[in-house]
Structures are given as structure tokens and as C-alpha cells.
Amino acid sequence: MSGHSKWATTHRQKAVIDSQRSKEFSKLSRLITVAARQKGGDISSNFSLRMLVEKAKDCSMPKDNIDKAIKKGIGEDGDENFEELIYEAIGPYNTQFIVKCLTSNKNRTANDIRWIFSRNGGAFSSVMWNFEQRGAVEIYSLRSQVKNYDDFELEIIENGGIDIAENDNLTTIYTDIKDLQNLSKFLESKNIKIESAEIRYIPKETVSLTDEQNKNIENLIRLLEDNDDVVDWWGNF
């Protein structure tokens, strides 16, 4: 029985991993399609597309999937038209959410997101006043990639960096949206490995949650991340 139990557990775990990977691939495909539609399918001239393609490769997304998503974006494959939608909402404990979706059916998506928040004691509400858009570049092990970190911080500032946050081994450099591409190019010129470069909604004021409150809000977050139309979300906590 123990052998069978282990076999069954392994297969359940694999099914969960495969399902999560499939959802991630689906969301990345939509993002790639929209990026290609907005600024063309050439990654050498479309910075946003190049960052997404690199992220997809890092996630082991098949090349055929990436190529198909780009072709959809430039109108060569399929006629499904994704629309970007931004939802603002209040969650439990005075938390605030910005939710980004890509969908071909905005009525369905609006109903789904509204249900997620109402089920967890929240509702759609205007919260954008508490957020501002910033470019964000993430790098792992930045300190080990440069000889003199203090001097390198000055170079980051000179090339558009306005704030640097470190969390364990992850460094996030914030910049104005207009400077995101130039900052990324500077880092690449120094052979710095960029994990991601994207636009985020950063809260101006945050709320602190207890461990118990964090556990209670995890269900809402899990439902958002499991929704096929949700490609990203930001909170003030």
C-alpha cells in the first residue's frame, strides 16, 4: 500500500504542477500576443515583447507556443482578440487591489472578478488614487555580479534608477516608466542578468496585516491567480 500511495501522491503532485504550468503558459501567451499587437513582432525593436519572450523561455515554454502567440499578435494566426482590463477593488482588512486581466469576453471576466472579491468580503471600488505606475527591474544576486556595489548604485541612479529594494537575494530597481528600457539596456551592457523588467502599480500608502489576516486573504489571492484571465495583480499590503 505504501508503494501505491507514494505513486498516487507523485502523480497528483505532477498533475498539479502540469496544471500550474499550463495556466502560466496560457497567461504568458496572451501577454506576448498583446505586446506583439501593440508594437510589432520583432523582439529587437519591441522591448516589452523581448522581456516576455525571455521570461517564457526561462519558464521552459515551448518555442512553438511563443511563435504562435507572436503570430496571433501580428494577425498571422487566429482571430481571437484579447482586451486589457484593469479592475480596482477593496479586499478584507482595508486592503486595496489592482487587477490586470487579458480577456476575449469582458462581461465574463468582470463577473468572475466581482465574484472573487464579494465571496471574500470585498467589492469593486476606486483605489487607483493610492497607486502609481513605476518601472521595476528584478535581479538575483546583484551584489555578486559587480565589483564595487556602492559605485554601481551611483551608475544605476545616473541611468534612471530612483529606488532600490533588497529582499534576501533579490534586488528590485524602480524607475520612471519612460526610463525602464534605458535602465534595462544599461544593466545588460554590464552583463547583469535581468530576471524581469515590467511596469507595476506601486502603493503610496500600505497597510500591515497580522499572520492570521494574511492567511485569511490568501484564499482571495489564490482565486485571482487561478483565474485564466488574470495576468497580474498588485496590493497595498
Side-chain angles (χ1 to χ4, degrees), residues 125-144:
S125 181
S126 177
V127 299
M128 192 66 76
W129 57 269
N130 190 35
F131 292 81
E132 58 184 350
Q133 285 186 298
R134 284 278 184 264
V137 180
E138 287 191 340
I139 303 163
Y140 281 108
S141 305
L142 176 58
R143 289 181 179 269
S144 66

Side-chain angles (χ1 to χ4, degrees), residues 125-168:
S125 181
S126 177
V127 299
M128 192 66 76
W129 57 269
N130 190 35
F131 292 81
E132 58 184 350
Q133 285 186 298
R134 284 278 184 264
V137 180
E138 287 191 340
I139 303 163
Y140 281 108
S141 305
L142 176 58
R143 289 181 179 269
S144 66
Q145 296 185 58
V146 297
K147 291 182 179 179
N148 189 316
Y149 184 76
D150 290 338
D151 288 346
F152 194 73
E153 274 194 336
L154 294 176
E155 290 188 71
I156 290 173
I157 294 170
E158 290 171 356
N159 285 275
I162 57 177
D163 193 19
I164 301 175
E166 293 185 272
N167 184 7
D168 293 331

Side-chain angles (χ1 to χ4, degrees), residues 1-217:
M1 287 297 293
S2 61
H4 174 76
S5 176
K6 182 179 180 181
W7 182 90
T9 299
T10 299
H11 277 256
R12 282 198 299 271
Q13 290 171 341
K14 183 180 184 302
V16 170
I17 292 171
D18 288 345
S19 175
Q20 291 172 339
R21 181 175 295 156
S22 176
K23 284 181 179 292
E24 186 170 17
F25 287 175
S26 176
K27 293 182 181 186
L28 280 169
S29 292
R30 294 187 186 191
L31 287 167
I32 288 170
T33 295
V34 171
R37 181 183 301 135
Q38 291 174 339
K39 295 184 179 180
D42 185 355
I43 63 173
S44 64
S45 59
N46 187 336
F47 172 73
S48 297
L49 179 61
R50 179 164 63 87
M51 289 290 100
L52 287 167
V53 168
E54 290 181 2
K55 182 176 182 179
K57 289 179 179 178
D58 288 341
C59 294
S60 300
M61 184 172 172
K63 184 177 183 299
D64 287 347
N65 294 32
I66 297 172
D67 292 342
K68 185 175 182 179
I70 293 174
K71 287 180 179 179
K72 276 187 178 182
I74 59 179
E76 292 185 5
D77 185 8
D79 58 0
E80 193 170 21
N81 188 23
F82 292 114
E83 181 179 1
E84 180 178 299
L85 300 173
I86 300 292
Y87 295 101
E88 306 170 53
I90 294 287
Y93 317 116
N94 295 317
T95 53
Q96 299 173 344
F97 287 81
I98 304 290
V99 182
K100 178 180 177 180
C101 298
L102 290 177
T103 179
S104 57
N105 187 331
K106 59 183 180 182
N107 289 332
R108 177 201 66 211
T109 302
N111 288 334
D112 287 348
I113 304 305
R114 183 181 292 109
W115 176 84
I116 289 172
F117 279 97
S118 63
R119 178 179 176 178
N120 290 275
F124 283 166
S125 181
S126 177
V127 299
M128 192 66 76
W129 57 269
N130 190 35
F131 292 81
E132 58 184 350
Q133 285 186 298
R134 284 278 184 264
V137 180
E138 287 191 340
I139 303 163
Y140 281 108
S141 305
L142 176 58
R143 289 181 179 269
S144 66
Q145 296 185 58
V146 297
K147 291 182 179 179
N148 189 316
Y149 184 76
D150 290 338
D151 288 346
F152 194 73
E153 274 194 336
L154 294 176
E155 290 188 71
I156 290 173
I157 294 170
E158 290 171 356
N159 285 275
I162 57 177
D163 193 19
I164 301 175
E166 293 185 272
N167 184 7
D168 293 331
N169 204 30
L170 178 66
T171 299
T172 305
I173 305 171
Y174 294 100
T175 182
D176 286 332
I177 295 174
K178 62 180 177 61
D179 294 325
L180 178 59
Q181 183 171 351
N182 288 335
L183 177 61
S184 298
K185 286 183 176 180
F186 160 73
L187 292 167
E188 289 174 343
S189 73
K190 299 294 185 179
N191 297 317
I192 301 298
K193 168 63 176 174
I194 295 175
E195 295 299 322
S196 67
E198 59 190 6
I199 296 173
R200 297 180 181 175
Y201 287 89
I202 308 299
K204 301 173 185 175
E205 298 180 3
T206 60
V207 294
S208 297
L209 302 179
T210 65
D211 289 343
E212 184 64 27
Q213 289 172 335
N214 269 316
K215 289 180 181 178
N216 291 337
I217 211 169

